[in-house]
Amino acid sequence: QGHLVESGGGLVQAGGSLRLSCGASGGTFGAGVTAWFRQAPGKEREFVSAIEWGDDRPDSTDSVEGRFTISRDNAKKNIYLQMNLLKPEDTDVYYCARSRYTYVADKRTASEYSVWGQGTQVTVSS
């Protein structure tokens, strides 16, 4: 599936929206789990949302539930993160990741993922 490339980050005011994209350069995502994580300087990488190709039901952390929506195209070429009602606390570098194995015991754990993008900066101002 090649490496992952994120795009769509930027600077927005609180309450605004951004749409992040993640593409599998040179191929498709294939089987397994693809997720969005975020990380601020000096902090642990935090799970945001994940989608499993064999299951249409996504999983998101409570802090973004109802505001962020993960989605994919049917060809498995891209996944997206639609972020609405952004807050300053959402300011982070956002990373796209693909799972180490086809089957994942805990898709909210960063160690389950083996392929990571370079990240895209999201900054939300008051």
Side-chain angles (χ1 to χ4, degrees):
Q1 292 86 39
H3 64 281
L4 306 181
V5 180
E6 306 97 334
S7 63
L11 173 64
V12 297
Q13 292 185 337
S17 299
L18 284 173
R19 179 175 177 262
L20 306 185
S21 298
C22 176
S25 180
T28 61
F29 284 99
V33 180
T34 305
W36 290 97
F37 286 76
R38 62 188 182 185
Q39 187 172 24
K43 296 184 178 180
E44 295 281 338
R45 191 161 293 187
E46 177 189 14
F47 172 79
V48 177
S49 189
I51 189 165
E52 187 172 1
W53 298 119
D55 191 347
D56 289 334
R57 295 173 294 178
D59 180 41
S60 297
T61 189
D62 289 344
S63 64
V64 306
E65 182 70 29
R67 298 190 297 120
F68 294 6
T69 303
I70 189 171
S71 62
R72 67 190 181 203
D73 58 23
N74 292 331
K76 300 181 180 180
K77 295 180 179 179
N78 299 281
I79 65 168
Y80 308 93
L81 186 68
Q82 179 66 46
M83 303 185 294
N84 299 323
L85 299 173
L86 283 162
K87 305 175 181 179
E89 305 92 272
D90 297 318
T91 295
D92 277 313
V93 177
Y94 284 71
Y95 298 89
C96 178
R98 179 164 56 84
S99 62
R100 187 192 311 273
Y101 304 109
T102 300
Y103 302 100
V104 175
D106 184 3
K107 54 182 174 290
R108 296 191 172 200
T109 302
S111 62
E112 297 279 7
Y113 300 85
S114 61
V115 182
W116 296 82
Q118 294 298 306
T120 185
Q121 177 71 49
V122 172
T123 303
V124 184
S125 62
S126 299

